Amino acid sequence: MDERLERYKKLLKEKGMKTTGQRLAIFEVLANEPDRHFTAEEIYEKVKASWPEIGLATVYRNIQKLSEFGVIDKLNLDDGFVRYEIGDPDRDKSHHHHHHLICLECGGVFTFEDDLLEQLEGRIRDTMGFIVSDHEVKFYGRCRACSEALKKK
Ligand SMILES: [Zn+2]
Ligand SMILES: [Zn+2]
Ligand SMILES: [Zn+2]
């Protein structure tokens, strides 16, 4: 985990972003839980623990900045909230690090690490001459727990 955090910090530096303490605190909230999808308010609550005087507006502004720099990703998981997660430190662009599986029964959001879409992006480039820089994919369906619960009925 610490190694991962170091890579993220390097990424911030590479992007020429000034790393203020508050900005770093926001960043660490997301980096520490890469599978969680935070709302701005949830990030604010966490950051307040180490920066009690910080205001929601400041947190919000810094979230926007981090998102502009492609260090964190903005998400829409169809629950009516704007959510954020950490970007992938091993990609040169603002690439996500997993895909989202949304259960239509319980509303749970699951993450899937493998990104098998490079091949498809290659084909799009070869056949259409279109250079893909990012993609957003959501899978909808029924999670394992809901499938099993349904079977028992
Ligand atoms: Zn995610
Ligand atoms: Zn479910
Ligand atoms: Zn992907």
Side-chain angles (χ1 to χ4, degrees):
M1 177 61 233
D2 282 337
E3 191 199 317
R4 193 170 190 173
L5 201 61
E6 284 312 308
R7 282 196 317 225
Y8 281 123
K9 279 186 187 159
K10 214 176 118 222
L11 182 84
L12 278 178
K13 224 187 255 161
E14 276 165 17
K15 298 209 179 226
M17 195 172 184
K18 253 199 274 165
T19 48
T20 63
Q22 294 181 347
R23 202 168 272 173
L24 216 56
I26 292 169
F27 172 75
E28 280 183 14
V29 165
L30 295 159
N32 280 328
E33 292 181 83
D35 283 331
R36 266 192 70 181
H37 308 103
F38 294 93
T39 64
E41 285 74 17
E42 284 167 352
I43 295 169
Y44 168 65
E45 288 304 325
K46 289 235 169 197
V47 171
K48 238 177 34 180
S50 39
W51 296 84
E53 297 98 89
I54 204 166
L56 180 59
T58 306
V59 169
Y60 203 74
R61 209 165 42 237
N62 280 309
I63 288 172
Q64 297 311 320
K65 258 276 163 299
L66 286 162
S67 165
E68 264 170 47
F69 273 80
V71 178
I72 65 176
D73 292 333
K74 200 175 187 171
L75 304 164
N76 168 11
L77 297 176
D78 300 337
D79 62 354
F81 290 99
V82 176
R83 293 181 180 275
Y84 301 89
E85 71 182 11
I86 198 78
D88 189 334
D90 296 323
R91 301 261 189 163
D92 50 349
K93 297 197 190 66
S94 62
H95 228 285
H96 53 264
H97 59 100
H98 56 228
H99 287 145
H100 298 110
L101 320 177
I102 300 173
C103 178
L104 297 170
E105 298 287 332
C106 66
V109 177
F110 305 86
T111 59
F112 188 71
E113 296 281 341
D114 275 346
D115 202 324
L116 305 170
L117 295 173
E118 278 90 1
Q119 215 185 341
L120 179 62
E121 291 183 354
R123 284 202 44 194
I124 291 170
R125 186 186 56 236
D126 294 345
T127 59
M128 306 283 296
F130 186 97
I131 313 290
V132 177
S133 59
D134 199 2
H135 55 248
E136 192 188 330
V137 190
K138 282 181 259 184
F139 295 93
Y140 297 94
R142 195 185 289 141
C143 73
R144 185 178 291 154
C146 288
S147 295
E148 272 160 20
L150 213 72
K151 256 190 275 173
K152 281 182 198 133
K153 269 185 198 165

